[in-house]
Amino acid sequence: MTAYNAPIKDMQFLLHELLRISESDLPGRDELDVSFTQAVLDAAGQLASEVLEPLNATGDRQGCVLENGAVRTPAGFDRAFDAMREGGWTGLDCDPEYGGQGMPYVLNVAANEMFVSANMAFNMYQGLTHGAYSAIHAHGTDAQKAMYLPRMVSCEWTGTMNLTEPHCGTDLGLLRTKAEPQDDGSYLITGQKIFISAGDHDLAENVIHLVLAKAPGGGEGTKGISLFIVPKFLVNENGSLGARNAVSVGKLEEKMGIHGNATCVMDYDGARGWLLGDLHKGMRAMFTMMNEARLGVGLQGYAVAEGAYQNAVAYARERLQGRAVTGAENPAGPADPIIVHPDIRRALMDQKSFLEGARALTFWGADLIDRGHQGDADAEGLVSLLTPVIKGFLTDKGFDSAVQAQQVFGGHGYIEETGMSQFVRDARIPMIYEGANGIQALDLVGRKLAQDGGKHVMAFFEMVKGFIAEHGADEALKTDFLDPLKAASKDLQAAAMFFMERGMKSPNDALAGSYDFMHLFGQVALGLMWGRMAVAAQAALDAGTDDPGFYETKLATGRYYMARQLPITATHLARIRSGAAPVMALAAEQF
Amino acid sequence: MTAYNAPIKDMQFLLHELLRISESDLPGRDELDVSFTQAVLDAAGQLASEVLEPLNATGDRQGCVLENGAVRTPAGFDRAFDAMREGGWTGLDCDPEYGGQGMPYVLNVAANEMFVSANMAFNMYQGLTHGAYSAIHAHGTDAQKAMYLPRMVSCEWTGTMNLTEPHCGTDLGLLRTKAEPQDDGSYLITGQKIFISAGDHDLAENVIHLVLAKAPGGGEGTKGISLFIVPKFLVNENGSLGARNAVSVGKLEEKMGIHGNATCVMDYDGARGWLLGDLHKGMRAMFTMMNEARLGVGLQGYAVAEGAYQNAVAYARERLQGRAVTGAENPAGPADPIIVHPDIRRALMDQKSFLEGARALTFWGADLIDRGHQGDADAEGLVSLLTPVIKGFLTDKGFDSAVQAQQVFGGHGYIEETGMSQFVRDARIPMIYEGANGIQALDLVGRKLAQDGGKHVMAFFEMVKGFIAEHGADEALKTDFLDPLKAASKDLQAAAMFFMERGMKSPNDALAGSYDFMHLFGQVALGLMWGRMAVAAQAALDAGTDDPGFYETKLATGRYYMARQLPITATHLARIRSGAAPVMALAAEQF
């Protein structure tokens, strides 16, 4: 039996003491004061703890079922989806013109962290819809927007993204799904798509598929790809549902985790679709929202681990086994709770210090996306650089963190009854979908580093340098936070320099180090977050806060991160500097 | 669909070129020449590939079923178990006096690696029996040995180990199962045991449970514990089966993996048992075979990962996606196989270099156990030191390795159909059972380092130092292997020094670094193995081998390990040196 407590105090700290969102120059932000966001977060936390979390194990055990061509979701998902809709959570940051609540994205991210921690598989139904909403909002005609957006904001209709085919995932240039233009301006879509999350279900009246396909005349590779709106039920002009479209569920995949979400093979047999955005510009349209989508997956990585961590802490406080080496701490009991043991502490501190840093980085990234939406090109450039780091690093570390939480349970963690296995199985997929983490590393090193002439990575380095310079006079901060951050940042710059020197002549030298670079960057980014959080925490203590415990805990957790996690940057640098030679030494047949 | 190819060439290399087992001074070893072990390994490999591996997915999908109090194993397990018995594999290294084949343990380890890679859950039925056989062989009376051992060597009867209870695992002093002495010298055993692997099944006529319980008069804690033989069916004097004993399966656990093995709650309701070994010396009797049991679990860690790795290599050679950055390598095809991409190479080289090092370390450990059995106290002391490293490090890294293999498959790795999820789910348990890895770290730092006055760890350091000195004149070996090994070994010694200086005053300083120390030790041990393998490979090349490809691949794989894996020792040292302060900074309620 698992439980979930929304970490609202920590979120409020980030929103108001780190990001200072209500003091921002962005329009409408002055309304987002402490009491307003407290009310929003409280309500989201309540939904997560009381409605979504109790269905998490159910969803895992029952999974989804395909019967007579239709997918049935686990018991209780329908009522929970109604509750989510009724609370307005599906449109929290959506455009008020289409029924959304117009909140900033960062607040949506905070709410979604809670929903994911409580029930990741369930939350994907609305999460995917949000992605499809964003694509139609950015690229749809006025008529398309008027038709689809209000119903997708409310999740009366849900959405999907159809990219992958059996023979192509990363390399979309190979895709075979065809779009044949019809006289009425529509297209007939034919082909097979796989791994379609929320591809079919019983939670909404209609499913709006966004499908990548090749229309005639677009040329080879990804250039010929267009994006189409393909509804499960055709939609009449007045918005009522018409005939069933020629799209069907070929198969429901049996997966390692997220059993509560329906992962479908979708067969398009001349299904009627409508072009979304420009012809042959489908890749661009699909990826407009990539930063958000990938940040959302990075969020899943740590949010599932947060759920696992909370249960590990509860278990470590309750489970009696052995005695503290420094003397019994529960002398009246048969043994001490295992949280007294240093190695259990190490595991919990590894998790806690990662999770709070990850939350800070993700919230910061969301805030940058908000700024980008308001026209701040520097913010957009910076978050575009950080996105593969958030996606790749946070999901890798989130999985490791969930594994550590499971380990705290010993043998009890391996049996399904405690729910710890589910956290691990669920946490595995964010490392894979929305661009496998190796692809994130490639995106970072092959594209983002050099984007706009390397401007954004230079800005990041300047930001770290500026932060260290600004606070260098504070001795305690210098020793515990700034010096480790400086050393880690130096490793990151040395790695970037290595890529610059080698990458032009020998691209494999950069590519062979890309994965380590992504992790190295992630470490430095979390180090910067911990530095900033330490400054904010110290400021609160200096100002005489009435909750010193929270801030002292924050500082101690940060010190752990800097002392125990950050030193791995040196290892990443050493691996990077060894270059491509050891990596590429073997011929394919020598493996 | 997975497949398995037994790595026999690599095993032969280890047995004959690294360990030189047939040249050993141990009795009977001169028979174990290259052609003899080739025949044994070929036969084991054939059983693994053709009989066990095809049942691996079946076992995972069907799992075990509890019906009318009896456990039914997955379809086909019975015939495969017959094949394993008929081949004599269940008694390969057992005492010929009881029907065993009297081979060295290291050969049994080689065969078992293949069986585990092919079907870990299945192999546990005979693996657990082997453990119970060893305990009875070491501690049984002549009558007990005559009664049980021949039937356990043949796996006509299988065995189990019953330690854990719902409220105690690591801390066995808390156990509640009672043994009441009877007038006839037997005991009535009452209590509940959990997580009993192979606790019941339909593969053998009888199950011989070895059960830890408290008999009157033994005092508090672990001192009062004795070990009992409790057969599922009582055994008549002539060896025929009598009445059912009062032991029953309370529940079959639903687990994350190893579904093909029955993990049972066992209820003892006044079951009749017989003392094994001395009264109140049960812990000692149970743990006599601990080095073997833990080495066997370490083996599981890397052996499952070997299965995963082989499938990842096959997929990476077949899956076409993208183009090599240095120019198309499969220009006639729609794309290149993903094995051309540096980041896929990195993932495969990480796996390959770990797996071959792990195999070498495990075989070396097995050879040391063989030497210990022949009275070599230094060998026994050394393997006792290495055991927690083999168990903890190889299972952690084995799990990571399986996760990397799954990642190579992208989305296809997450669906159960490809079998990659099973490797990961199965690889998770070796980190937990037979003493969770945190306990291994505690055993290493709290007990083994100081054992016999620190003699064994000093011997290990001397061995590394001697190896470096012996081969220092070889320039290529020095740069690629000896210098990295020297640096890593220096980190290990510095960590040991830190523990010595701090550990007496502040035991938490050592305990907070124990897990990192276990990994640091593991890295150095694998570094030493790679150094030795490099020397052996170079010797073969210098001697004009007719298979230079094998040895060149070995050298290149070793260079990768030294350049890309070993540098992490610096990070472990940094974490260790930060001491207990950051780890223990929070009160339990601050998490």
Side-chain angles (χ1 to χ4, degrees):
Chain A
M1 278 291 295
T2 53
Y4 175 68
N5 294 302
I8 290 172
K9 177 136 191 96
D10 201 45
M11 292 183 171
Q12 286 280 69
F13 167 73
L14 294 179
L15 293 176
H16 297 288
E17 294 172 71
L18 196 82
L19 300 173
R20 302 183 173 280
I21 59 163
S22 65
E23 296 167 28
S24 153
D25 48 354
L26 297 183
R29 284 299 182 84
D30 49 347
E31 291 166 21
L32 306 176
D33 62 14
V34 171
S35 63
F36 179 85
T37 59
Q38 182 77 37
V40 172
L41 298 177
D42 279 344
Q46 195 179 358
L47 179 69
S49 297
E50 296 177 11
V51 180
L52 308 194
E53 201 281 335
L55 293 173
N56 196 33
T58 311
D60 186 56
R61 268 170 218 156
Q62 295 187 358
C64 295
V65 182
L66 180 63
E67 268 175 3
N68 306 319
V71 173
R72 196 176 68 234
T73 57
F77 271 36
D78 50 357
R79 284 193 306 279
F81 205 64
D82 287 344
M84 186 167 249
R85 272 198 281 242
E86 283 157 18
W89 299 109
T90 61
L92 194 66
D93 68 331
C94 292
D95 189 342
E97 196 180 330
Y98 303 104
Q101 305 211 29
M103 296 286 129
Y105 178 61
V106 67
L107 214 55
N108 192 50
V109 159
N112 271 271
E113 183 200 304
M114 301 188 240
F115 301 153
V116 173
S117 292
N119 197 329
M120 172 171 158
F122 172 84
N123 195 55
M124 289 172 67
Y125 292 100
Q126 70 99 357
L128 270 298
T129 307
H130 193 278
Y133 154 88
S134 296
I136 296 175
H137 191 266
H139 300 285
T141 63
D142 287 344
Q144 286 172 333
K145 290 203 251 188
M147 177 66 78
Y148 294 107
L149 294 187
R151 293 168 178 93
M152 294 175 78
V153 165
S154 66
C155 273
E156 195 182 334
W157 299 351
T158 66
T160 71
M161 298 290 201
N162 288 240
L163 290 79
T164 307
E165 299 182 6
H167 63 289
C168 76
T170 300
D171 190 355
L172 288 170
L174 301 174
L175 72 77
R176 293 177 190 150
T177 298
K178 280 187 186 152
E180 298 165 82
Q182 306 298 301
D183 291 343
D184 65 355
S186 71
Y187 290 78
L188 292 187
I189 311 293
T190 303
Q192 189 179 64
K193 295 288 181 177
I194 63 170
F195 303 153
I196 307 309
S197 297
D200 194 58
H201 55 82
D202 52 5
L203 301 177
E205 291 173 1
N206 205 0
V207 181
I208 310 304
H209 302 290
L210 299 193
V211 183
L212 286 183
K214 286 191 173 175
E220 289 296 299
T222 55
K223 286 193 293 288
I225 294 175
S226 304
L227 184 58
F228 297 90
I229 300 176
V230 186
K232 173 179 173 184
F233 289 100
L234 297 172
V235 180
N236 300 317
E237 295 223 347
N238 64 359
S240 64
L241 299 185
R244 177 76 193 240
N245 205 348
V247 49
S248 59
V249 181
K251 187 186 170 192
L252 198 55
E253 301 288 2
E254 204 186 315
K255 308 183 300 291
M256 184 175 180
I258 53 164
H259 295 160
N261 197 274
T263 305
C264 300
V265 172
M266 300 303 300
D267 291 321
Y268 294 86
D269 300 305
R272 201 162 287 274
W274 288 268
L275 187 67
L276 176 61
D278 296 334
L279 188 67
H280 306 318
K281 300 281 169 62
M283 292 295 283
R284 209 169 60 185
M286 186 59 114
F287 287 125
T288 311
M289 298 301 137
M290 193 163 67
N291 287 344
E292 277 184 45
R294 293 186 167 178
L295 184 139
V297 174
L299 178 148
Q300 288 182 326
Y302 82 81
V304 174
E306 166 74 28
Y309 163 75
Q310 291 192 11
N311 287 283
V313 169
Y315 188 79
R317 284 186 186 131
E318 280 165 21
R319 174 77 171 174
L320 304 180
Q321 209 81 176
R323 291 292 184 190
V325 69
T326 46
E329 296 201 9
N330 175 34
D336 289 344
I338 60 173
I339 203 167
V340 306
H341 301 307
D343 191 60
I344 296 289
R345 288 299 181 105
R346 169 200 60 79
L348 294 177
M349 290 300 289
D350 272 347
Q351 295 168 60
K352 181 177 172 63
S353 64
F354 159 69
L355 291 167
E356 293 179 15
R359 178 177 298 126
L361 179 62
T362 305
F363 280 31
W364 181 41
D367 192 51
L368 289 171
I369 286 177
D370 277 327
R371 290 170 187 279
H373 287 173
Q374 301 288 338
D376 182 339
D378 287 342
E380 196 176 323
L382 184 57
V383 78
S384 160
L385 172 73
L386 292 174
T387 293
V389 177
I390 291 173
K391 198 284 184 181
F393 179 68
L394 298 192
T395 61
D396 278 359
K397 296 281 290 181
F399 177 72
D400 291 348
S401 187
V403 170
Q404 279 194 316
Q406 184 188 29
Q407 189 74 12
V408 169
F409 277 70
H412 298 272
Y414 197 66
I415 60 173
E416 294 290 350
E417 197 179 307
T418 56
M420 299 311 287
S421 163
Q422 186 189 351
F423 287 124
V424 171
R425 291 185 287 98
D426 287 355
R428 184 68 184 87
I429 188 60
M431 297 162 68
I432 298 173
Y433 60 21
E434 197 58 38
N437 286 356
I439 298 302
Q440 303 299 324
L442 182 64
D443 178 46
L444 176 64
V445 169
R447 240 165 52 87
K448 298 296 176 64
L449 272 189
Q451 205 170 30
D452 299 328
K455 181 179 162 189
H456 309 298
V457 73
M458 294 310 298
F460 179 80
F461 288 143
E462 284 304 311
M463 190 178 281
V464 173
K465 204 172 140 189
F467 175 78
I468 293 170
E470 185 184 347
H471 299 283
D474 182 333
E475 269 307 312
L477 198 73
K478 186 173 181 307
T479 311
D480 293 342
F481 290 90
L482 304 183
D483 289 349
L485 177 59
K486 196 172 179 174
S489 171
K490 219 175 123 184
D491 288 341
L492 182 64
Q493 293 187 52
M497 189 65 70
F498 177 84
F499 288 162
M500 277 202 280
E501 287 169 5
R502 297 279 194 98
M504 301 300 269
K505 287 178 300 211
S506 161
N508 278 348
D509 273 324
L511 296 178
S514 59
Y515 211 90
D516 283 277
F517 188 81
M518 178 175 75
H519 273 251
L520 173 43
F521 205 138
Q523 291 289 350
V524 174
L526 257 61
L528 176 62
M529 291 301 107
W530 272 116
R532 287 184 183 168
M533 288 194 283
V535 168
Q538 193 57 57
L541 287 168
D542 292 346
T545 170
D546 55 5
D547 188 4
F550 173 82
Y551 297 101
E552 279 156 9
T553 301
K554 184 63 75 178
L555 284 168
T557 308
R559 276 184 218 112
Y560 182 93
Y561 193 87
M562 306 311 276
R564 288 246 168 188
Q565 304 265 37
L566 212 48
I568 202 172
T569 57
T571 299
H572 291 304
L573 178 59
R575 281 171 63 99
I576 289 165
R577 278 187 169 152
S578 73
V583 177
M584 305 302 285
L586 300 184
E589 61 274 15
Q590 286 177 293
F591 282 90
Chain B
M1 278 292 294
T2 53
Y4 174 67
N5 295 302
I8 291 172
K9 176 133 192 101
D10 201 45
M11 291 183 171
Q12 286 281 69
F13 168 72
L14 294 179
L15 293 176
H16 297 288
E17 295 172 72
L18 195 82
L19 300 173
R20 303 181 171 280
I21 60 163
S22 65
E23 296 167 29
S24 153
D25 48 354
L26 297 182
R29 284 298 183 85
D30 49 347
E31 292 168 19
L32 305 176
D33 61 14
V34 171
S35 63
F36 180 86
T37 60
Q38 182 77 37
V40 173
L41 297 178
D42 278 345
Q46 194 178 357
L47 179 68
S49 297
E50 295 176 12
V51 180
L52 308 194
E53 201 280 336
L55 293 173
N56 197 33
T58 311
D60 186 56
R61 270 170 217 157
Q62 295 187 359
C64 295
V65 182
L66 180 62
E67 269 174 1
N68 305 320
V71 172
R72 195 176 68 234
T73 56
F77 270 36
D78 50 357
R79 284 193 307 278
F81 205 65
D82 287 344
M84 187 168 248
R85 272 196 282 240
E86 283 157 18
W89 299 108
T90 60
L92 193 66
D93 68 331
C94 293
D95 189 343
E97 196 180 332
Y98 303 104
Q101 306 211 29
M103 294 288 129
Y105 177 60
V106 68
L107 214 56
N108 192 50
V109 158
N112 271 271
E113 183 199 304
M114 302 187 239
F115 302 154
V116 173
S117 292
N119 196 330
M120 171 170 160
F122 173 84
N123 195 54
M124 289 172 68
Y125 292 101
Q126 69 100 358
L128 270 297
T129 306
H130 193 277
Y133 154 88
S134 295
I136 295 174
H137 192 266
H139 300 285
T141 63
D142 288 344
Q144 286 172 335
K145 291 203 253 189
M147 176 65 78
Y148 294 107
L149 294 186
R151 294 170 179 90
M152 293 175 79
V153 165
S154 66
C155 273
E156 194 182 335
W157 300 350
T158 65
T160 70
M161 298 290 201
N162 288 239
L163 291 79
T164 306
E165 300 182 6
H167 63 289
C168 75
T170 299
D171 189 355
L172 287 171
L174 301 175
L175 74 76
R176 292 178 191 151
T177 298
K178 279 186 186 152
E180 298 164 83
Q182 305 299 302
D183 291 344
D184 65 354
S186 70
Y187 289 78
L188 293 187
I189 312 292
T190 303
Q192 189 179 64
K193 295 288 183 178
I194 63 171
F195 304 153
I196 308 309
S197 298
D200 194 60
H201 56 82
D202 52 6
L203 301 177
E205 290 173 2
N206 205 359
V207 181
I208 310 304
H209 301 290
L210 300 192
V211 183
L212 286 183
K214 285 191 172 174
E220 289 297 298
T222 55
K223 286 193 294 288
I225 294 175
S226 304
L227 184 59
F228 297 91
I229 300 176
V230 186
K232 174 179 171 182
F233 288 101
L234 296 171
V235 179
N236 300 317
E237 295 223 349
N238 64 0
S240 64
L241 298 186
R244 177 78 192 239
N245 204 349
V247 49
S248 58
V249 182
K251 187 186 170 191
L252 199 54
E253 300 288 2
E254 204 187 315
K255 309 181 300 290
M256 184 175 180
I258 52 166
H259 295 161
N261 196 274
T263 305
C264 301
V265 172
M266 300 301 301
D267 290 320
Y268 294 86
D269 302 305
R272 201 162 286 274
W274 288 267
L275 187 67
L276 176 60
D278 296 333
L279 188 66
H280 305 318
K281 299 280 168 65
M283 291 296 283
R284 208 168 62 185
M286 186 59 115
F287 287 124
T288 312
M289 298 302 139
M290 194 163 66
N291 287 344
E292 277 183 47
R294 292 185 167 178
L295 184 138
V297 174
L299 179 147
Q300 289 181 327
Y302 82 81
V304 174
E306 166 73 28
Y309 163 74
Q310 291 190 11
N311 287 284
V313 169
Y315 188 79
R317 284 185 186 132
E318 281 165 21
R319 173 78 171 173
L320 305 180
Q321 209 80 177
R323 291 290 185 192
V325 69
T326 46
E329 298 202 9
N330 176 35
D336 289 345
I338 60 173
I339 203 167
V340 306
H341 302 306
D343 190 61
I344 296 289
R345 288 299 181 105
R346 169 199 60 80
L348 294 177
M349 290 300 290
D350 271 347
Q351 294 167 60
K352 182 176 171 64
S353 64
F354 159 69
L355 291 166
E356 293 179 14
R359 178 177 298 127
L361 178 62
T362 305
F363 280 30
W364 182 39
D367 192 52
L368 289 171
I369 286 177
D370 277 326
R371 290 170 187 278
H373 287 170
Q374 302 287 339
D376 182 339
D378 287 341
E380 195 174 327
L382 183 57
V383 78
S384 160
L385 173 73
L386 292 173
T387 294
V389 177
I390 291 172
K391 197 282 185 183
F393 179 68
L394 298 191
T395 61
D396 278 359
K397 295 282 290 180
F399 177 71
D400 291 347
S401 187
V403 169
Q404 278 194 318
Q406 183 188 31
Q407 189 75 13
V408 169
F409 277 69
H412 297 272
Y414 198 66
I415 60 174
E416 293 291 351
E417 197 180 307
T418 55
M420 300 310 288
S421 163
Q422 186 189 351
F423 287 124
V424 172
R425 291 184 288 99
D426 287 357
R428 184 67 184 87
I429 188 61
M431 297 162 68
I432 298 173
Y433 61 20
E434 196 60 38
N437 285 357
I439 298 302
Q440 303 299 325
L442 181 65
D443 178 47
L444 176 64
V445 169
R447 239 164 53 87
K448 299 296 175 63
L449 272 190
Q451 205 169 31
D452 299 327
K455 180 178 163 191
H456 308 299
V457 72
M458 294 310 298
F460 179 80
F461 289 142
E462 283 304 310
M463 190 177 280
V464 174
K465 204 172 141 187
F467 175 78
I468 293 170
E470 184 183 349
H471 299 283
D474 181 332
E475 270 308 311
L477 199 72
K478 185 174 180 306
T479 311
D480 293 343
F481 290 90
L482 304 182
D483 289 349
L485 177 60
K486 195 170 179 177
S489 171
K490 219 175 123 185
D491 288 340
L492 183 64
Q493 293 188 52
M497 189 63 70
F498 178 85
F499 289 162
M500 276 202 278
E501 287 168 6
R502 297 280 194 99
M504 301 299 268
K505 287 178 300 208
S506 161
N508 278 348
D509 273 325
L511 296 179
S514 59
Y515 210 90
D516 282 278
F517 188 81
M518 177 174 77
H519 273 251
L520 174 43
F521 205 138
Q523 290 290 350
V524 174
L526 256 60
L528 176 62
M529 291 302 107
W530 272 116
R532 287 185 183 168
M533 288 194 282
V535 168
Q538 193 57 57
L541 287 167
D542 292 347
T545 169
D546 56 5
D547 188 3
F550 173 82
Y551 297 101
E552 280 156 9
T553 301
K554 184 63 76 181
L555 284 168
T557 307
R559 277 184 217 111
Y560 182 93
Y561 193 86
M562 306 311 276
R564 288 244 167 189
Q565 303 264 38
L566 212 48
I568 203 172
T569 58
T571 298
H572 291 304
L573 179 60
R575 281 171 64 99
I576 289 165
R577 279 186 168 153
S578 74
V583 177
M584 305 302 285
L586 300 185
E589 61 274 16
Q590 285 177 294
F591 282 89

